[in-house]
Amino acid sequence: MKTDKPHARPSSPRFGRRAVNTLLAAAALLPLASVVHAADAIKIGAVVSATGPASFLGDPQQKTLEMYVQKINAAGGVLGRKLELVLYDDASDANKANAFTRRLIMQDEVDVILGASTTGSTMAMVPQAEAAKVPMISLAAASVIVEPVKLWVFKMPHSDRMAAEKVLGEMKQRGFTQFALLSDTGGFGKSGRTETLKLAGTLGLKVAEDQTYGEKDTDITPQLTRIKSSPAQAILVFGTGQAPAIIARNYQQLAMKQPLYTTHGQASTEFIRIAGKSSEGIRMPSPALLIAQALPDSDTQKKVSVSYAKDYESQAKMDVSTFGGYAHDALFLLVDAIKRAGGTDKQKVRDAIEATSGFVGVSGIYKMSATDHMGLDVSAFRMVEVKEGVFKEVR
């Protein structure tokens, strides 16, 4: 009987029995519905640059996320629920990252988003995560991602400002008073240039040359030639991708003598592989991960760093990288936050991420707050130098 017909009166005994039966049936289903909901997968959306110019960032991130989601699920999941990784490759294209973020939120209905690999793609994703109130943890480095603080957005990598502070601090310790800055025109390079110029003045260092190059440039000899003839006593390269390796080769071809520094954007054995012998002597700030085996047993980060390096290298059959390390830290920090939140309520997860304190990752020991959505300071960096084809800590 359809209850919208005129003769279906509420006082009808037949209607009453059906209504009661319907209510009883619905009530009987409630516990089952709760059980089904409790067993729902925790949906983690991810956008990485697995292909394209930034694949050196995104490929190890994808491999890391897939490996550990599988391991976590094999161990029973999180709060009795399996993790479901919904991952898209933006091919190093910010427009694709934007489109995939919309899909993750509207179609896939994920609980949280990890990514992107680059600053450009991340900034294309931020407005949507903020508008939809979905917690987002970036795997990119620029300070602009979390400064000013955005309520729903966090990031794992050390900032460009921290890298500049570490490098310029060592330059000053070595007695240098002026240096050359060579930065790319991408998001990371632009932000890094801005931060470096700000810091130089506060440290009493003069920028003798301020040169830029394109991310896809294959010859940076003209800029280096100008730097070679300048009063610069050292050089800082601020950029990502393969261009810094090209700069290293051009630097060697010009027989330049000023010490060459890069940022944590090159803290990977892939950089050494591409640059070859030209990488010898180059210094850069790096997380503990790249020198994990050489750390003293008393180092808080040694255990987790050695464990990740072993897991990754045995499964991926390639050297570990700091970029994959950021994905490692993002996933396990998220798992920790979900446990503390008691589930996947987005507001509670966001609050738990922000309340993270003392989380030991391969990239540092994180302490988030309402005013700091990165949670690291310059102490998370170690200064390393390429010696005989491997990274050695500078002491």
Side-chain angles (χ1 to χ4, degrees), residues 287-289 301 304-306 308 322 324-326 328-329 360-364 366:
L289 178 62
Q301 288 182 263
V304 65
S305 297
V306 169
Y308 169 55
T322 57
Y326 297 135
H328 168 281
D329 290 352
V360 180
V362 302
S363 310
Y366 290 85

Side-chain angles (χ1 to χ4, degrees), residues 167-351:
V167 171
L168 298 189
E170 189 187 270
M171 285 184 182
K172 190 164 185 177
Q173 286 179 357
R174 295 176 73 178
F176 302 144
T177 58
Q178 47 190 329
F179 69 98
L181 176 60
L182 183 55
S183 51
D184 73 33
T185 54
F188 180 65
K190 284 182 179 178
S191 180
R193 175 181 175 273
T194 299
E195 297 299 335
T196 303
L197 293 176
K198 287 179 185 176
L199 277 169
T202 63
L203 293 173
L205 295 173
K206 180 180 178 181
V207 181
E209 279 290 338
D210 181 10
Q211 297 285 324
T212 61
Y213 64 91
E215 292 177 286
K216 298 180 181 180
D217 286 358
T218 56
D219 182 20
I220 299 91
T221 301
Q223 295 95 317
L224 288 171
T225 300
R226 288 194 60 176
I227 291 171
K228 183 179 181 180
S229 61
S230 77
Q233 298 163 303
I235 306 166
L236 170 56
V237 176
F238 228 116
T240 58
Q242 295 188 9
I246 295 171
I247 291 172
R249 292 199 295 267
N250 292 162
Y251 169 91
Q252 187 180 60
Q253 291 161 359
L254 291 170
M256 299 180 73
K257 301 300 182 185
Q258 297 105 317
L260 181 61
Y261 290 86
T262 66
T263 69
H264 54 311
Q266 283 68 56
S268 166
T269 53
E270 182 71 2
F271 170 73
I272 297 176
R273 186 189 68 78
I274 297 172
K277 292 183 179 180
S278 300
S279 64
E280 282 294 307
I282 293 178
R283 292 186 178 187
M284 66 191 72
S286 167
L289 178 62
L290 287 189
I291 51 170
Q293 291 289 355
L295 295 173
D297 291 341
S298 59
D299 193 297
T300 308
Q301 288 182 263
K302 181 168 185 175
K303 184 178 179 180
V304 65
S305 297
V306 169
S307 176
Y308 169 55
K310 182 180 178 181
D311 286 346
Y312 184 85
E313 290 172 358
S314 63
Q315 182 151 328
K317 308 302 180 186
M318 60 192 298
D319 290 331
V320 73
S321 85
T322 57
F323 314 120
Y326 297 135
H328 168 281
D329 290 352
L331 179 61
F332 281 98
L333 185 145
L334 172 63
V335 167
D336 177 66
I338 289 173
K339 288 178 178 178
R340 286 185 284 115
T344 52
D345 177 273
K346 292 180 175 62
Q347 182 67 55
K348 291 180 180 179
V349 171
R350 190 220 75 88
D351 293 347

Side-chain angles (χ1 to χ4, degrees), residues 27-280:
L29 286 173
L30 283 176
L32 177 61
S34 297
V35 171
V36 171
H37 178 70
D40 283 349
I42 297 172
K43 299 186 76 171
I44 300 174
V47 177
V48 299
S49 298
T51 59
S55 61
F56 70 99
L57 300 171
D59 178 64
Q61 290 168 353
Q62 176 175 342
K63 287 181 169 66
T64 297
L65 291 174
E66 290 174 340
M67 175 177 68
Y68 280 109
V69 164
Q70 184 178 27
K71 284 179 175 290
I72 291 169
N73 284 339
V78 178
L79 299 179
R81 298 165 63 183
K82 297 292 187 181
L83 300 183
E84 179 184 344
L85 180 65
V86 185
L87 186 147
Y88 295 110
D89 171 20
D90 68 11
S92 309
D93 185 330
N95 291 325
K96 289 183 179 179
N98 178 284
F100 286 139
T101 304
R102 185 163 54 253
R103 183 184 298 182
L104 286 171
I105 294 170
M106 303 299 293
Q107 182 175 315
D108 300 315
E109 298 181 333
V110 297
D111 296 302
V112 67
I113 296 173
L114 304 182
S117 303
T118 68
T119 298
S121 286
T122 293
M123 296 309 289
M125 296 166 64
V126 165
Q128 294 191 71
E130 285 283 290
K133 297 183 178 180
V134 176
M136 173 177 161
I137 304 176
S138 175
L139 307 179
S143 299
V144 294
I145 296 169
V146 292
E147 296 179 13
V149 170
K150 300 163 187 67
L151 193 62
W152 294 86
V153 179
F154 303 82
K155 80 180 185 75
M156 303 310 296
H158 313 75
S159 70
D160 40 19
R161 181 185 300 117
M162 287 169 55
E165 184 179 350
K166 187 71 174 180
V167 171
L168 298 189
E170 189 187 270
M171 285 184 182
K172 190 164 185 177
Q173 286 179 357
R174 295 176 73 178
F176 302 144
T177 58
Q178 47 190 329
F179 69 98
L181 176 60
L182 183 55
S183 51
D184 73 33
T185 54
F188 180 65
K190 284 182 179 178
S191 180
R193 175 181 175 273
T194 299
E195 297 299 335
T196 303
L197 293 176
K198 287 179 185 176
L199 277 169
T202 63
L203 293 173
L205 295 173
K206 180 180 178 181
V207 181
E209 279 290 338
D210 181 10
Q211 297 285 324
T212 61
Y213 64 91
E215 292 177 286
K216 298 180 181 180
D217 286 358
T218 56
D219 182 20
I220 299 91
T221 301
Q223 295 95 317
L224 288 171
T225 300
R226 288 194 60 176
I227 291 171
K228 183 179 181 180
S229 61
S230 77
Q233 298 163 303
I235 306 166
L236 170 56
V237 176
F238 228 116
T240 58
Q242 295 188 9
I246 295 171
I247 291 172
R249 292 199 295 267
N250 292 162
Y251 169 91
Q252 187 180 60
Q253 291 161 359
L254 291 170
M256 299 180 73
K257 301 300 182 185
Q258 297 105 317
L260 181 61
Y261 290 86
T262 66
T263 69
H264 54 311
Q266 283 68 56
S268 166
T269 53
E270 182 71 2
F271 170 73
I272 297 176
R273 186 189 68 78
I274 297 172
K277 292 183 179 180
S278 300
S279 64
E280 282 294 307

